[in-house]
Structures are given as structure tokens and as C-alpha cells.
Amino acid sequence: PNQPMVANLSIAGPKSETVNKAVDAAVDAGVVVIVAAGNQGSDACQGYSPASASKAITVGSSEHGDRMLWLRRERRAAFSN
């Protein structure tokens, strides 16, 4: 590709090798793939897709002091929709 490409995936489902391979193929084709870690409160890179795709950039949120948001009562950041 002659121009930068980015995919932002705010989706999560059970771990799927098919989904993970598709994400990795997109990265191999030159797409920077950013995926949500999700709101499950567990290791997204172990049990969820596309968060567990080896070539994706998986991101999550934390609050001051790096305390995981899922420990809070509201279970999501104030900026989350």
C-alpha cells in the first residue's frame, strides 16, 4: 500500500483462530490494527478475539494508579459509551 491504513476494532468475542488469522493477515498487508481489550476483567489476550491476535495492538483502559476499571462498580470508564 502507498498510504497508511489503520483499522480500529471495538469488538470482542470468544477466542477464534479464524478471526485472529484475519487480523494478522491485515497487518501483513500493511494495516495497523488496533483492538479493544474488552470489559470482561480477564486477560483479553488469552480468551478473546481479536484481542488475542498476535499482530494486533490490544488496548484497554485503567484509572489513576493503574487500578483496573472492572474493579469499579460502574465497570467502565466515565468516557466510555
Side-chain angles (χ1 to χ4, degrees), residues 11-73:
I11 59 173
K15 189 170 185 176
S16 164
E17 288 306 314
T18 302
V19 171
N20 290 353
K21 286 179 182 179
V23 168
D24 289 345
V27 172
D28 290 342
V31 180
V32 176
V33 180
I34 314 297
V35 301
N39 297 316
Q40 290 81 11
S42 59
D43 187 345
C45 293
Q46 294 298 319
Y48 302 95
S49 288
S52 59
S54 64
K55 297 182 181 181
I57 299 171
T58 302
V59 297
S61 61
S62 63
E63 62 183 6
H64 182 71
D66 210 25
R67 182 174 168 219
M68 291 184 291
L69 289 170
W70 63 270
L71 294 174
R72 291 173 48 186
R73 222 176 224 164

